[in-house]
Amino acid sequence: HYPLRRQRQMCIRDRWTLVFGGAAMAVNSGWLAALTPLLLALVDAVARAEERELTRRFGEDYRRYAARVRRYV
């Protein structure tokens, strides 16, 4: 399966954020670059909401998983 999944929780969101920031630099767009911190805050808020839901649904199993892996890169 996906080996990095055992080390980090939010793999796809990490990539989306990197792609967005890279696109902002590639097109030399100040407004896209300015939105990158907002995207980071949004990603963090969504990740935390999902963690709360997963904790509610899976309880101690999810807590043990979350204790073993990092949230972000």
Side-chain angles (χ1 to χ4, degrees), residues 3-68:
L4 290 179
R5 187 71 176 150
R6 285 175 276 190
Q7 299 170 8
R8 294 192 340 255
Q9 295 180 35
M10 305 297 167
C11 299
I12 193 70
R13 288 201 185 92
D14 294 345
R15 290 185 188 116
W16 289 342
T17 305
L18 290 172
V19 166
F20 187 86
M25 289 187 285
V27 298
N28 198 22
S29 174
W31 69 271
L32 281 179
L35 288 177
T36 301
L38 179 62
L39 176 66
L40 291 171
L42 180 63
V43 165
D44 185 64
V46 169
R48 290 177 189 274
E50 285 183 355
E51 288 173 352
R52 285 190 299 274
E53 174 62 17
L54 290 168
T55 299
R56 185 188 68 76
R57 290 176 68 187
F58 300 107
E60 193 56 37
D61 287 337
Y62 181 75
R63 284 187 190 96
R64 280 193 302 270
Y65 166 76
R68 284 194 330 262

